[in-house]
């Protein structure tokens, strides 16, 4: 919630959101969907150590699996930001698993 609030009040562009898939009190897919609805030109990179069953990034989503080094993170950020604007997955179309 805090990150979304900050992004809503930030006057300039935000190039990249980095979000964990599993977070206390929510999930990264929902955060990313709301973020991208407000800032469609932004990119999203997920980091994940496990999936909680409620949200699973599609196989084409930008995901960096834990554990990773700073060098691996930097390389993935460069990769994601260097792609053409219309290239890559739509965060709005992330796969969801509904759990009871």
């Amino acid at each position: 919630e805090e990150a979304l609030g900050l992004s809503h009040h930030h006057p300039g562009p935000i190039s990249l959101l980095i979000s964990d898939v599993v977070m206390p009190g929510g999930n990264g897919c929902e955060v990313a969907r709301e973020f991208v609805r407000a800032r469609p030109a932004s990119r999203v990179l997920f980091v994940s150590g496990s999936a909680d069953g409620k949200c699973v990034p599609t196989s084409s989503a930008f995901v960096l699996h834990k554990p990773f080094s700073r060098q691996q993170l930097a390389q993935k950020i460069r990769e994601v930001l260097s792609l053409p604007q219309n290239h890559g997955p739509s965060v709005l179309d992330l796969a969801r698993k509904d759990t009871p």
Side-chain angles (χ1 to χ4, degrees), residues 1-97:
E1 289 180 25
E2 183 180 353
L4 289 173
L6 290 170
S7 73
H8 290 312
H9 292 96
H10 182 73
I14 299 176
S15 300
L16 181 67
L17 168 71
I18 300 175
S19 177
D20 204 323
V21 173
V22 179
M23 297 186 295
N27 73 61
C29 291
E30 290 302 321
V31 170
R33 281 189 195 96
E34 186 173 335
F35 177 80
V36 169
R37 281 187 191 105
R39 294 179 175 272
S42 297
R43 307 287 176 90
V44 176
L45 171 60
F46 290 104
V47 295
S48 179
S50 64
D52 68 356
K54 295 179 184 172
C55 165
V56 180
T58 61
S59 61
S60 62
F62 301 120
V63 180
L64 183 59
H65 295 281
K66 297 176 188 176
F68 53 84
S69 68
R70 284 187 268 178
Q71 293 82 10
Q72 289 169 313
L73 175 61
Q75 175 59 39
K76 189 59 127 176
I77 289 170
R78 282 191 294 273
E79 176 187 328
V80 171
L81 291 177
S82 70
L83 293 170
Q85 190 60 39
N86 61 351
H87 183 78
S90 170
V91 174
L92 299 175
D93 294 330
L94 290 173
R96 269 192 247 195
K97 284 187 178 179

